[in-house]
């Protein structure tokens, strides 16, 4: 691509700069126009239908552009860019039912749940067991404390120093989410589903209330909050179901 | 023999009533020839299937999809036809010329019948040397025409088939001369166009054999299908990536004038092929781009964009305009001065393209606008206050991905001042605030979520503008409302380090510990 971005040596943000973008005539940027040229020139002679044309365009577009999921460790091939969002939601939004943090794989979520919400885990840590496992699948190393694992990720696996698995960057997130929900509730006039009465409830309370309604197996509750439109999956930690298969 | 007025009909295929049946049969067989068909459609080569009416031929049949049996039959017939041609060429007695023409005609018919002519069979039977012989100087026009036609269709298919024409090239080029009859010259140009469409190697050969000057001269007359075919062949010949041919072409006496004349006055079909020549001239070298800009080529391009509704014409004209804007800073700084009539004209036709139904026009028009918006503050103000902005905002939320990406470039460019040395460019707050208020932020956050690196970067860069530049510290709130935090947090496990750093940096800076505490 013709885009040029200024990168400073102190790795500050590459700000938007308005520059002219030029493309060579054989650049992929022009390929859909080139295809259109040939189809138009030949379509009368070949009596192509609208359908055939659309199919052709799609086939050639997608052939030229193989998109792979960029989430670490996924590598799934996507049929088109438009499919990515669906794929992401299906595969990478494992949401913690307790604190609403979202992780891109069920494994990471499972690790989080143990580390953050399991007193048994904490007990073992206190007794000196190496409980904090490396986040990189296949590494299998375990550490006695969070910081040690963190250092390992940075040193061995080149994670950025700013990376935080248990992200404390926005501790008010819980509060933010509650406020967001409050705002939404006020807007919903007649939505008098009892499930939705959330005034003065903590999220934990909410979860336990809802989990009593749900009939699915295993605990903790498998309804996730914290994401707009509650698009979080019905997620079952520990027993790792593959989320619904999406092409 | 076909004359000019008849020749004008040559390119319009006659659609017979069996067309629908053939189309149906074709669809049934679609799976088997899907790939082959796709490739043949996409190629820059063109089969010649229809001749001038009145040459004693049977009416054109749509007979595209054949059964295997029919295919074998055709191959057999082709081999026989070549054999027949061989004996006709060897024959020296009375009526030799007619014999040769008849044999050529038969072979030509077999090579024009279907979408996939029996080229392999013809080559195997040794057609090329015979056809080359039929191209010898002094041969009658009919013979030259039929031979060139056969070669045209042999060259319209697979690479190795096109390459088989190598021995014929010098003669084909020779018959482009002014002494040749127009239909003959045209048919030779067509064959050479197919050869040039094959690839860089063959283009080099053609150029070294002097194909360019005679083809260029064929573009000088005011009208005729010969001019059109020559323009098409030239577009294949100069497409590069080596800019030498383009540079050579523009220097040929009278060519630049002819090109501008055709752009201004000729019928749409002819203007279309000439416009494709301009596409390559405007993109391949600074020299040719400069010549076009200085010769005021923008004017007829804008005129065509304003008056035509033919997608075939609009695509190359728009792209030529785009190339001239992108390739030469002169265009924006000295020709498209805000306030000048031509500048208003350009914006107007770009708006027209944004309104069109066609994906290519919307995408490439946005690209051109983004380059104009990368100009001076006055340019940004011009576009900002034009009809383009509401259209762009709408496209940002509704159009297919490739269009949205270009639109993002326009809108973002409107919000930052031209770079002045080091440091981050200044914001144009008025534009930023207005565009955000009109709802563009969600479109950019969508791009942040995209799997396309370039688009994601654009989304993050615009998000930074919003976070930094919205007054009263509104930026973070607005970003949060559009689920921007979620979108950025996705990057924690993203494999691209640059994007990770960008996203993390923004989240750390604007959504840190204190954020949201004082709700």
């Amino acid at each position: 691509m013709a885009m040029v971005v200024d990168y400073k040596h102190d790795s500050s943000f590459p700000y938007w700069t308005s520059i002219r973008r030029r493309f060579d005539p054989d650049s992929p940027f022009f390929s859909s126009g080139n295809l259109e040229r040939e189809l138009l020139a030949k379509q009368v002679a070949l009596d192509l239908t609208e359908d055939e044309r659309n199919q052709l365009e799609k086939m050639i577009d997608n052939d030229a552009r193989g998109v792979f999921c960029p989430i670490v460790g996924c590598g799934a091939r996507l049929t088109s860019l438009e499919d990515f969002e669906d794929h992401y939601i299906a595969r990478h939004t494992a949401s913690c039912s307790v604190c609403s943090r979202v992780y891109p794989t069920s494994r990471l979520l499972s690790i989080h749940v143990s580390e953050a919400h399991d007193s048994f885990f904490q007990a073992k840590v206190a007794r000196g067991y190496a409980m904090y496992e490396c986040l990189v699948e296949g590494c299998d190393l375990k550490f006695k404390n969070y910081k040690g694992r963190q250092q390992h990720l940075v040193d061995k696996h080149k994670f950025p120093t700013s990376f935080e698995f248990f992200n404390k960057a926005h501790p008010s997130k819980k509060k933010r989410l509650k406020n967001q929900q409050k705002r939404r509730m006020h807007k919903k006039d007649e939505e008098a589903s009892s499930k939705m009465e959330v005034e003065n409830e903590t999220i934990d309370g909410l979860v336990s209330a809802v989990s009593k309604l749900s009939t699915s197996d295993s605990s903790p509750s498998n309804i996730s909050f914290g994401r707009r439109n509650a698009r979080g999956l019905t997620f079952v930690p520990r027993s790792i179901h593959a989320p619904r298969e999406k092409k | 023999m076909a004359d000019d007025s008849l020749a004008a009909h040559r390119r319009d295929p006659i659609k017979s009533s069996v067309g629908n049946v053939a189309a149906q049969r074709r669809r049934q067989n679609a799976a088997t020839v899907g790939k082959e068909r796709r490739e043949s459609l996409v190629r820059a080569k063109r089969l010649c299937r229809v001749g001038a009416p009145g040459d004693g031929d049977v009416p054109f049949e749509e007979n595209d999809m054949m059964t295997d049996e029919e295919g074998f039959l055709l191959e057999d017939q082709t081999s026989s036809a070549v054999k027949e041609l061989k004996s006709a060429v060897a024959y020296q007695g009375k009526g030799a010329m007619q014999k040769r023409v008849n044999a050529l005609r038969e072979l030509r018919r077999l090579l024009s019948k279907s979408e996939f002519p029996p080229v392999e069979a013809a080559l195997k039977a040794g057609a090329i040397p015979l056809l080359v012989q039929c191209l010898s100087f002094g041969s009658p026009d009919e013979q030259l025409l039929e031979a060139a036609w056969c070669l045209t269709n042999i060259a319209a298919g697979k690479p190795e088939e096109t390459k088989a024409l190598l021995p014929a090239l010098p003669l084909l080029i020779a018959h482009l001369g002014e002494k040749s009859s127009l239909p003959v010259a045209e048919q030779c140009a067509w064959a050479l166009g197919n050869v040039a469409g094959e690839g860089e190697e063959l283009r080099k050969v053609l150029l070294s054999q002097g194909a360019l000057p005679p083809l260029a001269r064929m573009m000088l007359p005011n009208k005729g299908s010969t001019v059109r075919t020559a323009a098409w062949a030239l577009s294949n010949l100069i497409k590069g990536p080596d800019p030498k041919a383009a540079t050579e072409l523009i220097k040929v006496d009278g060519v630049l004038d002819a090109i501008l004349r055709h752009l201004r006055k000729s019928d749409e079909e002819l203007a279309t092929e000439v416009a494709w020549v301009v596409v390559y001239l405007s993109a391949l070298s600074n020299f040719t781009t400069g010549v076009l800009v200085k010769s005021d080529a923008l004017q007829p391009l804008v005129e065509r964009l304003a008056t035509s509704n033919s997608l075939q014409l609009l695509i190359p004209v728009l792209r030529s305009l785009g190339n001239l804007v992108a390739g030469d800073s002169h265009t924006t700084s000295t020709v498209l001065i805000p306030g000048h009539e031509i500048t208003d004209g350009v914006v107007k036709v770009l708006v027209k393209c944004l309104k069109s139904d066609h994906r290519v026009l919307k995408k490439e028009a946005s690209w051109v606008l983004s380059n104009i918006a990368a100009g001076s503050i006055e340019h940004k103000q011009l576009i900002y206050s034009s009809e383009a902005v509401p259209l762009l905002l709408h496209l940002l939320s509704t159009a297919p991905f490739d269009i949205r990406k270009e639109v993002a470039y326009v809108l973002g460019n409107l919000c930052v001042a031209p770079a002045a040395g080091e440091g981050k460019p200044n914001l144009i707050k008025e534009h930023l605030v207005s565009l955000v208020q009109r709802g563009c932020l969600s479109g950019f956050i969508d791009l942040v979520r995209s799997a396309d690196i370039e688009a994601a970067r654009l989304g993050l860069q615009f998000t930074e503008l919003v976070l930094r530049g919205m007054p009263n510290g509104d930026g973070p709130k607005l970003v949060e409302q559009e689920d921007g935090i979620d979108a950025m947090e996705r990057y924690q496990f993203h494999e691209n380090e640059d994007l990770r750093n960008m996203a993390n940096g923004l989240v750390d800076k604007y959504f840190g510990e204190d954020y949201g505490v004082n709700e």
Side-chain angles (χ1 to χ4, degrees), chain B residues 190-237:
Chain B
W190 195 327
L192 292 170
N194 279 344
V195 174
E198 165 46 42
E200 208 187 340
E201 238 184 86
L202 281 173
R203 289 198 269 276
K204 280 204 181 98
V205 172
L206 285 170
L207 291 167
S208 71
Q209 292 181 344
L212 191 126
L215 275 175
R217 283 192 287 270
M218 281 167 80
M219 270 209 306
L220 300 182
N222 277 329
K223 58 185 167 78
S225 65
T226 310
V227 184
R228 182 154 47 107
T229 304
W232 168 73
L234 274 169
S235 74
N236 272 354
L237 188 59

Side-chain angles (χ1 to χ4, degrees), chain A residues 1 3 5 7-8 13-26 28-49 52-53 56-57 59-61 63 65 67-73 75 78 81-82 84-85 88-89 93 102-104 108 135 158-160 162-165 167-173 175-177 179-180 183 226-229 231, chain B residues 13 15 19 23 26-27 37-38 40-46 62 115 232 235 241 273 276 280 283-284 311-312 315 319 323 325-329 359-360 363-364 367 370-371 373-374 380 401 406 408-409 412-413 416-418 423-425 444 449-452 454 457-458 460-462 464-465 468 480 483 485-486 489-490 492-495 498 500-502 504 506-508 511-513 515-517 519:
Chain A
M1 292 285 161
M3 208 181 99
V5 177
Y7 250 118
K8 300 204 207 294
F13 193 89
Y15 303 106
W16 189 301
T17 43
S18 68
I19 52 169
R20 255 183 309 133
R21 290 173 301 138
R22 189 177 166 276
F23 297 109
D24 286 332
D26 54 4
F29 181 77
F30 291 132
S31 55
S32 47
N34 292 340
L35 173 62
E36 197 64 47
R37 175 192 190 186
E38 295 307 326
L39 290 181
L40 285 167
K42 293 163 185 161
Q43 77 173 9
V44 178
L46 298 175
D47 192 26
L48 287 175
T49 65
E52 285 175 308
R53 287 205 51 193
L56 265 161
E57 282 175 18
M59 261 195 290
I60 291 167
D61 261 348
D63 273 353
R65 184 174 53 189
V67 192
F68 291 91
C69 174
I71 301 300
V72 171
L78 310 166
L81 279 173
E82 278 78 13
F84 176 57
E85 187 66 15
Y88 189 88
I89 293 172
T93 53
V102 178
Y103 293 93
L108 288 172
L135 302 182
K158 305 275 195 270
F159 273 54
S162 66
F163 173 79
E164 286 284 351
F165 183 56
N167 202 328
K168 286 202 176 294
H170 8 277
S172 58
K173 188 165 166 175
K175 195 164 193 301
R176 261 191 285 120
L177 292 167
N179 292 335
Q180 258 186 28
R183 266 183 260 134
R227 290 290 150 230
R228 196 165 70 94
N229 303 326
R231 71 173 184 231
Chain B
K15 289 182 70 168
R26 185 182 44 250
R27 269 169 231 128
R37 182 151 208 258
R38 229 197 307 163
S40 84
L41 275 170
V42 167
R43 272 182 214 128
K45 305 173 191 171
R46 297 180 187 175
E62 285 229 13
E115 206 179 316
W232 168 73
S235 74
E273 299 301 345
W276 279 105
Y280 293 108
L284 280 167
L311 179 63
Q312 266 186 302
I315 290 178
R319 191 180 292 182
N323 286 338
V325 169
D328 190 348
S329 61
R359 198 162 154 160
V360 175
K363 173 183 167 180
E364 297 194 16
W367 165 59
S370 77
N371 281 337
K380 295 168 200 271
F401 173 78
E406 297 310 311
Y409 274 109
N413 285 351
V416 300
K424 53 186 145 174
F444 278 96
R449 284 194 210 102
S450 150
D452 180 77
E454 190 190 342
R457 178 180 263 136
L458 284 178
L460 288 169
Q461 286 176 314
F462 190 84
E464 191 274 336
L465 296 179
R468 175 179 20 133
E480 182 184 10
D483 285 339
I485 306 180
D486 295 346
E489 284 180 338
R490 287 190 185 189
Q492 291 168 351
F493 291 95
H494 195 283
E495 61 189 13
D498 294 338
R500 266 210 314 268
N501 290 338
M502 284 170 76
N504 288 340
L506 290 179
V507 170
D508 285 345
F511 299 101
E513 304 238 333
Y515 180 70
V517 159
E519 279 287 310

Side-chain angles (χ1 to χ4, degrees), chain A residues 218-232:
Chain A
S218 94
S219 60
S221 131
N222 44 24
I223 306 239
S224 67
F225 291 94
R227 290 290 150 230
R228 196 165 70 94
N229 303 326
R231 71 173 184 231

Side-chain angles (χ1 to χ4, degrees), chain A:
Chain A
M1 292 285 161
M3 208 181 99
V4 172
V5 177
D6 301 33
Y7 250 118
K8 300 204 207 294
H9 291 302
D10 64 1
S11 70
S12 64
F13 193 89
Y15 303 106
W16 189 301
T17 43
S18 68
I19 52 169
R20 255 183 309 133
R21 290 173 301 138
R22 189 177 166 276
F23 297 109
D24 286 332
D26 54 4
S27 160
F29 181 77
F30 291 132
S31 55
S32 47
N34 292 340
L35 173 62
E36 197 64 47
R37 175 192 190 186
E38 295 307 326
L39 290 181
L40 285 167
K42 293 163 185 161
Q43 77 173 9
V44 178
L46 298 175
D47 192 26
L48 287 175
T49 65
E50 184 81 32
D51 261 350
E52 285 175 308
R53 287 205 51 193
N54 289 336
Q55 260 181 42
L56 265 161
E57 282 175 18
K58 241 209 212 129
M59 261 195 290
I60 291 167
D61 261 348
N62 288 334
D63 273 353
R65 184 174 53 189
V67 192
F68 291 91
C69 174
I71 301 300
V72 171
C74 180
R77 181 154 203 263
L78 310 166
T79 29
S80 76
L81 279 173
E82 278 78 13
D83 287 347
F84 176 57
E85 187 66 15
D86 284 343
H87 164 82
Y88 189 88
I89 293 172
R91 299 292 202 144
H92 300 298
T93 53
S95 167
C96 177
S97 49
V98 180
C99 69
S100 312
R101 281 181 174 73
V102 178
Y103 293 93
T105 68
S106 41
R107 176 176 170 271
L108 288 172
L109 175 63
S110 164
I111 292 175
H112 156 77
V113 170
S114 315
E115 295 178 4
H117 306 303
D118 185 0
S119 46
F120 183 64
F121 181 93
Q122 291 304 328
K124 295 206 88 172
V125 168
R127 306 246 290 283
Y129 288 92
M131 297 295 290
Y132 289 92
E133 45 181 305
C134 174
L135 302 182
V136 176
E137 222 165 323
C139 181
D140 293 336
L141 283 176
K142 292 201 205 275
F143 301 83
K144 291 202 180 155
N145 54 45
Y146 182 84
K147 275 244 146 60
R149 196 253 317 270
Q150 182 75 0
Q151 200 57 47
H152 164 79
L153 291 174
V154 172
D155 293 341
K156 268 276 145 51
H157 300 296
K158 305 275 195 270
F159 273 54
T161 46
S162 66
F163 173 79
E164 286 284 351
F165 183 56
F166 187 70
N167 202 328
K168 286 202 176 294
H170 8 277
S172 58
K173 188 165 166 175
K174 216 164 162 175
K175 195 164 193 301
R176 261 191 285 120
L177 292 167
K178 241 180 32 171
N179 292 335
Q180 258 186 28
Q181 277 194 310
K182 270 211 191 109
R183 266 183 260 134
R184 253 202 302 278
M185 295 314 127
H186 287 310
K187 283 192 190 131
K188 284 189 179 171
D189 304 320
E190 252 60 51
E191 191 89 54
S193 170
S194 61
K195 279 199 281 184
M196 300 303 248
E197 307 266 82
V198 294
E199 296 287 345
N200 304 317
E201 294 250 321
T202 64
I203 292 202
D204 293 309
L206 211 71
V207 162
S208 58
V210 175
S211 67
K212 287 177 196 135
L213 298 170
S214 140
T215 53
S216 12
D217 49 6
S218 94
S219 60
S221 131
N222 44 24
I223 306 239
S224 67
F225 291 94
R227 290 290 150 230
R228 196 165 70 94
N229 303 326
R231 71 173 184 231
L233 302 174
T234 305
F235 179 80
V236 182
R238 287 193 206 283
S239 61
I240 295 168
H241 291 315
R244 67 194 148 99
E245 193 65 33
K246 268 263 172 167
K247 230 182 344 140

